[in-house]
C-alpha cells in the first residue's frame, strides 16, 4: 500500500529548495513560443473590429470595401443590422489578410452605420445610477448577537439594535471608500492561431485552461472534443481572464476551416482592454464602531459596484474583510454600466473587500489615536480562531522587517522633509488555494530518463519546475533530470489555473504518479537485491535498502531492470480533507511605508513587506517571485492603474499601453518577502500562493498614505490628482 | 533559418518612394496611417512598392531575405519573415519596450521601425543570447527568476544589455532610474534589479 505523504524537512533533497525555473532560459532569450508566436506555413493574419460606440444599434455593416483591399483575403460582419451593442469594443467584423498592413487597411475600409443609444458608465455616482435606472439591489446579510423578541418586528429590531451598538461604541467612523475598475492587461493579448486540417482542429490558444477548452471549439465547429487539440506551452499573462476559448477563438477556428488555411487572430491592445476582462470596481459607505480598546464591535456597510452589463459585480461575502465583528450588516447594489464584462481577476473580490474595509478599520485607529499595528492586533479576536495565532506571528515578523515600532508616528503627525511626509500602513488577508483535480502520467525509461505529462499550463508561476521538483524528490534525482511536458489537451487532464489551485493540484498528481511508479520499479529492484520493496528508498541517484545502504542500485541500473519498454503510470491527485499532501486556507500580512509629497500629490513606495504562509513550500525561488509580483501588481492598482471611462460617450479613454498607467521598475521601492513556514504550517502540505499576496496592498498602501497625511485618500488608485483633491477637500 | 516563403503575401495598395532616412517611428506612424511619402529622403533613387520588395536583413549575424511592404514594421518582418519571435508585439508605439532589439548596438522598438529602414544595419534580437553558453544578462535573469509569464522578458533582457553597455558600473539607484522603458505586468521588477546588479558585479570582477 503506497502512502502518499511528503518527506520531513530534514529528509528532503530538493523539495522546498530554491530552484531556477526549468524554462527560464527559454523565457529569458525569447526562444519560448507563445500562441502569438506560432505561425504555421500559409498562416493568414486576422483582426477583429471593435464597435466604436458603447451602446448602439447596428444600422448597417458593409465589409465589401475591405475585401477589395489588396492583400485582404476575406472579411465578414459579425453582427447584423438591428443588433444591439452594449459596450465599446464589442466585435462587429473581422478582416483576414496576408500582412498586418493589409488587414489594418481592410479594417479601415469597413463601412458601418450606428444608431447611438443611451450610455451609462459612471457607477461611482450611485445617485446618477439610480436616476438612470441602472442600480439594482443585491444580496446582503445581517448578523446580530441579540435576537428580536417573539412579538418584535425583525426590521425594526435590526435598526434599533444597530443604533444601540453604535451609541455604545467608544469610537465611530463613517466614510465613503472606493476602488476603481481595472483591466487584466495581459501583455500577450487574448487570441489563438487555429489550424484546421482534415476535419481536425489544432488551436494554439493563449489559455489558462488547456484541458478544459477543446469542447468549447468542438461544438461550434460541428466536431467533438477528441478532434480538437488545444496547445499552449507558454501564455503571456492571464490573471484570471483566459479560461475560455472565447467567441474570437471560435471565430479563428471557423475562419481556418472556411479558408482552408491557418488563421491567427489576436486581439489588438485597444480591444483587449475593452472586452477581454476587467475587475469590478467597488465603492462603499461604511460605518464602523469600536470599543475604547479599539476592538470593532459593529459594522454597517452598503457597497455598490459594476460588473458591466451582465452582472459579476463585487460579492457581498468580502465585507467586512477578515476582521468580522460579531454584529454586522452589509448591503449591496449592482450597477449596470456600458463597459466590457468582468472576468475573474487574481483573487476575485478579495482585493476590493480588503481595500474597502481594512481602510475603514484603520480609520478607527486614527480616531482613537492608536498605533495601527496595535489596533489590528487587538482585532484578531474578530478573525477566525484557527488563524489568530498565525496572523499574530506573521504581524510580529512583518513589524520587525519594517522596523514598525521605530518608524511609527500618530496619523498626520510625522516629521516633514520639505513637503514630503512618510507613513506606515498594514493589512491582513486570506485565501483558500486548495489543489484542483489533476492527473499526471509518469514515464520512466529503461535508460533512466524520466518524463511527466500533464494537461496543465504555466501562467508564469513555474508549473513545470514544481512538477519537476516533486518528481525529482520522489525519485531521488536532481530537478533537471525530470522532463516535464505540459500545455497540451492530449495529456492527462488538469484543472484550469485559477484560484491558486495549480501548484496544489499538480503537486498532488505528480507525487501520486511518482510514488505509484516508484512502487512498481521497487518491486523489480527488491527482487534483484533480495530486499523488501517497502524497505527501499530512492535518494541521491540510488535506490537502496534503508537497513543496509550498501545494498542498492544506481537509478540507471534500477531502470535497466524495466526491460525493453518504459514504465508508464498515470495517477490522479486526491486533494481534500484526507490528503496529507495538500490543504487549503492561508493568511498573510503586509506592511507598507510610503512618502507623499503634499505639493505634487505623488505617492512613492519606500518599503513594502509581505509575510506569507502557503503550507509546504515546493520551490522557494518561484514562491518568492509570486509574492514579489503580487506586491507590484498591488502597487499598480493602489497608485497607478484605473479604467477611465468618458461619462458622455461611454468611451474607454485609456485603452492603450501608453495611456493605461502601470508602475515601472523605478516605482516599486524596496520589497521584502518573508515566507512563513513553521513545522505546523509545513505539515499541512501544499497550498496555493498565487493570489493571496495581491489582496493586501490596497489597504496597506492606503493606510500608509492616511498615516502620512492625516487624512484618508478614499478612492484607489491614489493618483496625484486623487491625493491633491483629497487634501483640498479636507482642507488638510 | 531564413524563411522567405513562409509568409504568404498579397499586393499592397500603397505606392510610393522608399525613404531610406528619417525617424523610423514617425515614418511608421505615417505609413500605417496611409501617408503619402516622406519628404527629405536624399537618396530617393530606388522605387519600391506597391506590394512586396525583397530586402536583406542582417539579424544576429545571419542574412535573412524577406519580402516586405513599404509600410511593414521591422517587428512584423522579424516575426513572420525571419521567424524570430523573441521581440513581442505588446504596443505599437514602443511604449512597452516589448519589442526591444538592438540596431547597430542601440536599443529600439522593432514595432516602431520600418523594416526597409533597417536594411544594411546590424540587428540584434534576444535570440542571440541563447545557445550552449547563456548570455550573462539572460543568465542573471534566470538565476534571479526575473521572468514570470515571460512575454516582456526578452525585450527587457535586450534593454538591460544596452543599458549595461552604456553603464557597465551602474549603481542600484542608476538601475532604478534607467530601466523604465520596459513594462512588466506580472511584477518581475523586484527580481530584475538584483539580476542587473549581479551582472554589474560580475563585470567588475572580470
Amino acid at each position: 500500500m503506497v502512502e502518499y505523504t511528503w518527506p520531513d524537512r530534514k529528509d528532503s533533497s530538493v523539495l522546498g529548495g530554491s530552484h531556477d525555473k526549468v524554462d527560464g532560459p527559454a523565457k529569458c532569450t525569447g526562444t519560448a513560443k507563445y500562441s502569438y508566436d506560432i505561425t504555421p506555413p500559409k498562416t493568414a493574419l486576422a483582426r477583429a473590429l471593435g464597435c466604436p460606440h458603447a451602446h448602439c444599434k447596428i444600422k448597417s455593416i458593409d465589409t465589401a470595401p475591405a475585401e477589395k483591399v489588396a492583400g485582404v483575403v476575406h472579411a465578414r460582419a459579425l453582427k447584423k443590422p438591428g443588433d444591439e451593442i452594449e459596450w465599446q469594443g464589442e466585435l462587429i467584423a473581422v478582416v483576414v489578410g496576408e500582412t498586418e498592413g493589409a488587414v489594418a487597411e481592410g479594417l479601415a475600409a469597413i463601412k458601418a452605420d450606428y444608431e447611438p443609444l443611451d450610455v451609462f458608465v459612471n457607477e461611482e455616482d450611485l445617485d446618477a445610477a439610480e436616476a438612470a435606472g441602472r442600480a439594482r439591489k443585491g444580496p446582503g446579510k445581517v448578523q446580530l448577537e441579540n435576537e428580536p423578541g417573539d412579538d418584535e418586528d425583525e426590521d425594526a429590531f435590526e435598526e434599533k439594535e444597530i443604533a444601540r451598538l453604535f451609541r455604545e461604541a467608544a469610537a465611530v467612523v463613517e466614510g465613503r471608500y472606493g476602488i476603481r475598475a481595472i483591466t487584466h492587461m495581459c501583455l500577450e493579448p487574448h487570441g489563438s492561431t487555429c489550424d484546421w486540417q482534415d476535419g481536425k482542429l489544432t488551436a494554439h490558444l493563449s489559455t489558462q485552461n488547456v484541458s478544459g477548452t477543446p469542447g468549447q471549439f468542438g461544438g461550434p465547429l460541428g466536431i467533438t472534443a477528441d478532434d480538437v487539440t488545444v496547445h499552449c506551452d507558454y501564455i503571456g499573462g492571464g490573471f484570471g481572464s483566459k479560461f475560455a476559448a472565447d467567441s474570437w477563438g471560435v471565430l479563428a477556428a471557423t475562419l481556418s476551416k472556411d479558408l482552408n488555411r491557418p488563421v491567427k487572430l489576436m486581439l489588438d491592445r485597444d480591444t483587449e482592454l475593452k472586452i477581454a476582462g476587467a475587475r469590478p470596481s467597488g465603492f462603499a459607505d461604511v460605518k464602523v464602531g469600536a470599543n475604547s480598546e479599539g476592538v470593532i464591535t459593529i459594522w454597517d456597510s452598503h457597497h455598490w459596484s459594476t460588473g458591466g452589463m451582465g452582472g459579476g459585480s463585487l460579492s457581498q461575502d468580502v465585507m467586512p474583510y477578515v476582521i468580522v465583528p460579531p454584529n454586522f450588516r452589509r448591503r449591496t447594489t449592482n450597477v449596470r454600466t456600458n463597459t466590457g464584462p468582468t472576468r475573474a481577476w487574481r483573487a476575485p473580490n478579495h482585493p476590493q473587500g480588503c481595500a474597502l474595509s481594512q481602510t475603514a478599520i484603520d480609520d478607527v485607529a486614527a480616531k482613537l489615536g492608536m498605533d495601527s499595528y496595535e489596533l489590528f492586533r487587538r482585532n484578531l479576536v474578530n478573525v477566525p480562531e484557527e488563524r489568530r495565532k498565525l496572523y499574530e506571528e506573521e504581524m510580529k515578523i512583518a513589524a520587525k522587517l519594517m522596523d514598525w515600532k521605530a518608524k511609527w508616528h500618530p496619523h498626520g503627525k510625522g516629521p516633514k522633509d520639505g513637503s514630503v511626509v512618510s507613513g506606515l500602513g498594514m493589512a491582513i488577508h486570506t485565501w483558500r488555494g486548495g489543489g484542483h483535480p489533476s492527473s499526471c502520467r509518469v514515464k520512466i525509461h529503461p535508460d533512466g530518463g524520466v518524463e511527466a505529462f500533464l494537461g496543465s499550463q504555466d501562467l508564469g508561476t513555474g508549473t513545470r519546475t514544481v512538477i519537476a521538483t516533486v518528481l525529482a524528490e520522489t525519485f531521488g534525482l536532481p530537478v533537471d533530470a525530470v522532463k516535464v511536458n505540459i500545455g497540451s489537451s492530449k495529456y492527462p487532464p488538469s484543472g484550469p489555473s485559477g484560484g491558486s489551485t495549480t501548484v496544489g493540484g499538480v503537486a498532488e498528481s505528480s507525487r501520486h504518479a511518482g510514488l505509484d511508479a516508484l512502487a512498481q520499479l521497487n518491486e523489480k529492484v527488491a527482487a534483484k537485491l533480495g530486499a523488501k520493496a517497502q524497505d527501499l528508498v530512492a535518494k541521491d541517484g540510488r535506490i537502496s535498502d534503508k537497513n543496509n545502504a550498501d545494498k542498492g542500485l544506481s537509478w540507471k541500473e534500477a531502470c535497466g531492470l524495466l526491460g525493453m519498454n518504459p514504465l508508464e503510470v498515470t495517477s490522479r491527485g486526491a486533494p481534500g480533507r484526507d490528503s496529507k499532501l495538500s490543504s487549503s486556507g492561508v493568511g498573510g500580512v503586509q506592511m507598507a511605508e510610503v512618502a507623499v509629497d503634499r505639493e505634487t500629490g505623488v505617492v512613492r513606495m519606500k518599503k513594502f513587506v509581505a509575510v506569507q504562509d502557503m503550507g509546504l513550500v515546493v520551490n522557494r525561488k518561484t514562491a518568492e517571485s509570486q509574492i514579489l509580483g503580487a506586491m507590484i501588481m498591488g502597487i499598480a492598482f493602489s497608485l497607478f492603474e484605473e479604467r477611465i471611462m468618458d461619462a458622455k460617450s461611454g468611451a474607454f479613454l485609456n485603452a492603450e499601453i501608453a495611456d493605461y498607467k502601470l508602475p515601472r521598475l523605478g516605482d516599486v521601492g524596496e520589497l521584502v518577502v518573508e515566507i512563513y513556514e513553521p513545522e505546523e504550517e509545513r505539515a499541512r502540505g501544499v497550498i496555493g500562493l498565487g493570489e493571496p499576496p495581491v489582496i493586501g496592498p490596497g489597504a496597506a498602501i492606503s493606510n500608509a498614505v492616511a498615516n502620512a497625511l492625516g487624512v484618508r485618500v478614499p478612492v484607489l488608485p491614489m493618483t496625484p490628482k486623487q491625493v491633491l483633491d483629497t487634501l483640498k477637500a479636507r482642507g488638510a | 533559418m531564413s524563411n522567405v516563403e513562409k509568409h504568404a503575401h498579397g499586393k499592397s495598395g500603397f505606392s510610393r518612394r522608399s525613404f531610406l532616412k528619417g525617424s523610423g517611428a514617425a515614418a511608421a506612424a505615417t505609413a500605417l496611417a496611409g501617408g503619402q511619402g516622406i519628404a527629405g529622403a536624399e537618396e530617393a533613387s530606388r522605387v519600391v512598392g506597391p506590394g512586396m520588395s525583397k530586402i536583406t536583413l542582417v539579424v544576429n549575424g545571419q542574412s535573412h531575405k524577406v519580402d516586405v511592404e513599404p509600410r511593414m514594421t521591422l517587428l512584423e518582418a522579424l516575426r513572420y519573415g525571419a521567424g524570430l519571435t523573441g521581440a513581442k508585439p505588446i504596443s505599437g508605439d514602443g511604449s512597452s519596450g516589448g519589442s526591444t532589439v538592438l540596431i547597430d548596438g542601440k536599443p529600439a522598438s522593432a514595432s516602431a521601425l520600418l523594416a526597409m529602414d533597417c536594411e544594411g544595419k546590424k540587428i540584434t534580437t534576444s535570440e542571440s543570447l541563447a545557445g550552449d553558453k547563456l548570455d550573462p544578462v539572460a543568465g542573471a535573469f534566470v538565476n534571479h527568476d526575473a521572468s514570470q509569464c515571460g512575454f516582456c522578458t526578452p525585450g527587457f533582457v535586450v534593454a538591460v544589455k544596452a543599458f549595461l553597455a552604456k553603464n557597465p558600473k551602474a549603481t542600484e539607484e542608476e538601475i532604478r532610474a534607467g530601466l523604465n522603458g520596459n513594462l512588466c505586468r506580472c511584477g518581475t521588477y523586484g527580481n530584475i534589479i538584483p539580476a542587473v546588479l549581479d551582472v554589474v558585479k560580475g563585470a567588475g570582477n572580470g
Side-chain angles (χ1 to χ4, degrees):
Chain A
M1 212 25 218
V2 178
E3 203 189 334
Y4 303 102
T5 58
W6 297 115
D8 291 341
R9 205 190 291 257
K10 62 174 179 9
D11 294 328
S12 298
S13 306
V14 292
L15 188 71
S18 215
H19 310 290
D20 289 351
K21 274 208 290 277
V22 295
D23 41 14
K27 286 185 176 183
C28 295
T29 58
T31 51
K33 293 283 183 190
Y34 297 74
S35 306
Y36 210 145
D37 300 336
I38 294 171
T39 307
K42 293 196 164 32
T43 295
L45 306 179
R47 283 273 188 223
L49 181 68
C51 180
H53 296 286
H55 190 198
C56 66
K57 259 205 177 109
I58 304 281
K59 284 164 81 174
S60 66
I61 303 182
D62 182 9
T63 57
E67 300 216 67
K68 293 199 184 94
V69 171
V72 167
V73 174
H74 175 76
R76 74 171 64 159
L78 304 173
K79 299 284 177 191
K80 56 185 188 309
D83 283 352
E84 188 176 340
I85 302 293
E86 292 190 301
W87 53 85
Q88 194 193 35
E90 175 76 332
L91 305 183
I92 59 170
V94 65
V95 172
V96 189
E98 305 291 0
T99 65
E100 290 178 355
V103 173
E105 200 185 333
L107 287 169
I110 291 173
K111 299 261 183 287
D113 214 4
Y114 315 88
E115 177 195 341
L117 301 170
D118 68 301
V119 162
F120 186 82
V121 291
N122 183 19
E123 79 280 10
E124 192 163 345
D125 187 344
L126 187 58
D127 294 339
E130 274 163 0
R134 297 298 191 106
R136 195 166 30 192
K137 197 176 162 209
K141 187 177 175 181
V142 184
Q143 181 182 297
L144 296 169
E145 282 177 304
N146 293 333
E147 285 179 19
D150 287 343
D151 50 357
E152 214 168 350
D153 176 71
E154 250 183 71
D155 291 344
F157 171 79
E158 179 186 311
E159 290 298 335
K160 211 174 75 187
E161 182 68 359
I162 289 169
R164 179 187 68 80
L165 287 159
F166 276 115
R167 217 168 34 242
E168 290 173 7
V172 175
V173 163
E174 234 180 316
R176 179 168 287 191
Y177 303 83
I179 176 166
R180 294 200 171 131
I182 61 174
T183 72
H184 293 70
M185 180 62 101
C186 305
L187 292 193
E188 180 188 34
H190 286 64
S192 61
T193 304
C194 284
D195 192 354
W196 175 274
Q197 275 187 43
D198 305 325
K200 290 181 166 46
L201 176 72
T202 303
H204 305 280
L205 176 71
S206 186
T207 184
Q208 301 175 234
N209 190 6
V210 165
S211 290
T213 38
Q216 298 173 23
F217 285 99
L221 286 150
I223 53 178
T224 42
D226 54 304
D227 281 334
V228 179
T229 302
V230 169
H231 168 245
C232 179
D233 274 336
Y234 296 96
I235 169 177
F239 314 112
S241 67
K242 289 182 179 169
F243 292 122
D246 282 318
S247 63
W248 50 85
V250 173
L251 174 62
T254 308
L255 288 167
S256 174
K257 184 182 176 187
D258 293 353
L259 300 174
N260 198 28
R261 57 191 286 195
V263 170
K264 185 194 299 291
L265 200 177
M266 308 299 292
L267 296 184
D268 58 72
R269 179 60 50 193
D270 172 87
T271 310
E272 168 75 15
L273 294 195
K274 285 172 179 167
I275 69 169
R279 186 174 84 178
S281 59
F283 300 93
D285 284 332
V286 176
K287 190 174 177 186
V288 54
N291 65 20
S292 58
E293 301 288 297
V295 175
I296 309 299
T297 52
I298 171 72
W299 170 278
D300 191 14
S301 68
H302 170 215
H303 72 255
W304 62 99
S305 161
T306 186
M309 291 303 287
S313 59
L314 184 60
S315 157
Q316 65 149 328
D317 298 337
V318 291
M319 290 290 274
Y321 188 70
V322 180
I323 295 170
V324 182
N327 297 290
F328 69 82
R329 175 169 66 182
R330 62 185 178 218
R331 290 173 292 182
T332 62
T333 297
N334 300 321
V335 180
R336 285 182 310 126
T337 54
N338 297 103
T339 52
T342 52
R343 294 184 172 199
W345 197 103
R346 202 172 183 177
N349 298 307
H350 287 233
Q352 300 100 307
C354 190
L356 295 177
S357 54
Q358 291 188 11
T359 44
I361 284 168
D362 187 69
D363 281 345
V364 175
K367 183 118 187 186
L368 287 168
M370 271 178 72
D371 183 327
S372 295
Y373 179 93
E374 189 54 26
L375 182 112
F376 272 84
R377 195 188 63 78
R378 290 180 186 179
N379 273 288
L380 294 180
V381 296
N382 281 325
V383 311
E385 196 173 351
E386 69 270 19
R387 267 198 278 284
R388 268 177 214 163
K389 182 166 169 282
L390 174 80
Y391 283 123
E392 189 157 12
E393 291 304 313
E394 290 184 338
M395 280 178 65
K396 279 185 204 162
I397 295 165
K400 204 168 169 191
L401 291 168
M402 178 54 88
D403 201 8
W404 180 285
K405 259 188 192 157
K407 287 179 183 169
W408 175 261
H409 58 72
H411 289 81
K413 302 273 166 56
K416 291 187 177 62
D417 178 6
S419 57
V420 178
V421 285
S422 295
L424 293 180
M426 66 165 288
I428 65 178
H429 54 246
T430 188
W431 189 253
R432 301 172 303 276
H436 60 205
S438 168
S439 295
C440 171
R441 182 162 80 234
V442 165
K443 207 168 174 180
I444 300 175
H445 294 272
D447 63 0
V450 177
E451 284 183 281
F453 300 83
L454 300 92
S456 186
Q457 50 277 319
D458 172 42
L459 279 177
T461 53
T463 307
R464 286 183 181 83
T465 315
V466 163
I467 295 163
T469 303
V470 168
L471 288 171
E473 181 66 47
T474 307
F475 298 140
L477 299 171
V479 173
D480 60 8
V482 180
K483 304 291 178 292
V484 178
N485 303 281
I486 59 171
S488 170
S489 61
K490 294 300 183 200
Y491 299 154
S494 271
S497 288
S500 301
T501 57
T502 304
V503 170
V506 302
E508 278 267 353
S509 63
S510 48
R511 181 69 172 167
H512 273 259
L515 287 172
D516 291 347
L518 186 65
Q520 290 190 33
L521 182 62
N522 280 350
E523 289 296 333
K524 294 187 188 295
V525 175
K528 173 86 177 175
L529 293 176
K532 287 182 186 156
Q534 65 267 30
D535 286 345
L536 296 177
V537 288
K539 207 168 164 68
D540 301 329
R542 282 176 67 77
I543 295 181
S544 53
D545 190 328
K546 69 179 177 190
N547 304 313
N548 178 3
D550 291 342
K551 210 166 163 185
L553 295 174
S554 73
W555 174 257
K556 210 171 168 171
E557 287 166 345
C559 296
L561 302 176
L562 292 171
M564 294 289 280
N565 287 327
L567 168 65
E568 194 172 290
V569 173
T570 303
S571 303
R572 271 176 72 88
R577 191 166 295 195
D578 298 331
S579 173
K580 288 177 176 157
L581 295 175
S582 71
S583 185
S584 157
V586 299
V589 170
Q590 298 189 343
M591 293 182 180
E593 183 186 19
V594 300
V596 189
D597 189 327
R598 298 174 54 96
E599 272 178 17
T600 63
V602 171
V603 179
R604 299 281 307 170
M605 293 302 297
K606 288 174 81 173
K607 186 171 179 175
F608 196 7
V609 174
V611 180
Q612 185 63 53
D613 55 292
M614 63 197 81
L616 179 146
V617 178
V618 178
N619 181 8
R620 202 160 298 275
K621 187 173 277 194
T622 48
E624 284 171 358
S625 298
Q626 279 304 295
I627 302 171
L628 282 166
M631 292 161 82
I632 292 169
M633 269 190 124
I635 293 169
F637 67 72
S638 300
L639 299 178
F640 295 93
E641 66 177 308
E642 58 183 311
R643 182 179 71 188
I644 302 173
M645 306 301 298
D646 179 52
K648 206 163 182 184
S649 67
F652 186 146
L653 296 175
N654 59 333
E656 286 294 345
I657 298 253
D659 305 321
Y660 188 92
K661 200 143 188 260
L662 286 166
R664 300 284 173 139
L665 184 136
D667 295 319
V668 298
E670 182 189 355
L671 303 164
V672 181
V673 168
E674 180 74 17
I675 293 176
Y676 183 66
E677 195 200 17
E679 273 317 311
E680 70 264 25
E681 287 301 319
R682 191 181 184 279
R684 298 174 65 204
V686 179
I687 310 173
L689 162 73
E691 274 148 314
V694 89
I695 297 166
I701 296 170
S702 178
N703 291 343
V705 170
N707 178 240
L709 294 173
V711 294
R712 173 70 55 184
V713 179
V715 176
L716 302 184
M718 295 174 289
T719 57
K721 183 178 186 313
Q722 284 284 336
V723 171
L724 294 176
D725 285 353
T726 302
L727 289 175
K728 201 172 164 195
R730 310 270 166 114
Chain B
M1 283 297 288
S2 179
N3 200 353
V4 186
E5 302 306 329
K6 192 167 181 178
H7 194 42
H9 307 293
K11 287 204 167 136
S12 164
F14 289 102
S15 169
R16 58 186 174 79
R17 285 174 182 276
S18 72
F19 41 92
L20 302 174
K21 289 195 170 174
S23 151
T30 314
L32 290 172
Q36 293 297 310
I38 299 281
E42 294 157 29
E43 304 149 59
S45 54
R46 188 164 64 114
V47 177
V48 296
M52 297 290 179
S53 310
K54 207 172 277 299
I55 64 166
T56 301
L57 293 176
V58 179
V59 192
N60 305 330
Q62 278 196 320
S63 289
H64 296 260
K65 282 204 160 60
V66 291
D67 286 339
V68 300
E69 297 178 295
R71 62 187 168 185
M72 189 179 282
T73 63
L74 174 62
L75 184 63
E76 186 177 356
L78 285 174
R79 291 175 62 82
Y80 301 120
L84 293 166
T85 55
K88 304 294 185 201
I90 298 174
S91 57
D93 59 1
S95 54
S96 70
S99 66
T100 304
V101 296
L102 303 180
I103 305 292
D104 291 335
K106 288 186 181 147
S109 286
S111 66
L113 291 174
L114 291 180
M116 282 185 169
D117 279 351
C118 299
E119 199 173 17
K121 293 182 177 165
K122 199 178 137 201
I123 303 162
T124 310
T125 72
S126 63
E127 283 91 344
S128 69
L129 311 176
D132 292 341
K133 197 168 178 300
L134 200 58
D135 169 87
V137 174
F141 267 62
V142 173
N143 191 242
H144 284 272
D145 200 34
S147 67
Q148 285 191 30
C149 84
F151 206 67
C152 77
T153 313
F156 229 127
V157 172
V158 173
V160 169
K161 288 286 292 179
F163 173 78
L164 288 177
K166 270 188 100 170
N167 309 277
K169 290 179 179 168
T171 62
E172 182 174 337
E173 207 176 324
E174 287 164 345
I175 291 164
R176 285 178 187 264
L179 285 167
N180 291 294
N182 291 70
L183 179 71
C184 169
R185 179 51 154 166
C186 301
T188 56
Y189 304 136
N191 308 63
I192 292 173
I193 295 163
V196 180
L197 275 169
D198 256 18
V199 181
V200 171
K201 278 185 219 149
N205 295 338

